[in-house]
Amino acid sequence: MRRAAALLIGVCLLWQAPAASAAERAPVGWASNGSGTTGGAGGRTWTVDTRAELNAGRPHGRP
């Protein structure tokens, strides 16, 4: 039984997924509108050195 399970797992790990088509690689949602998204470029940045500073920078001290 273990040998059959190991063989099945090995086959599943080696099975290659089909390549994505061009339509599947295109942006979707907000990224597909206008010029796309910037990934936060030009946004406000924070640098913290301690856990207390990190907690102070979060709204209401929550994640």
Side-chain angles (χ1 to χ4, degrees):
M1 183 69 177
R2 287 184 183 178
R3 185 175 275 168
L7 179 62
L8 179 61
I9 290 171
V11 168
C12 289
L13 291 175
L14 294 175
W15 196 279
Q16 292 184 358
S21 69
E24 293 171 336
R25 291 188 301 249
V28 295
W30 291 108
S32 64
N33 293 326
S35 61
T37 61
T38 62
R44 188 172 182 185
T45 60
W46 296 82
T47 303
V48 297
D49 295 316
T50 65
R51 184 182 296 242
E53 290 175 343
L54 177 64
N55 288 334
R58 295 187 302 181
H60 303 87
R62 298 182 183 150

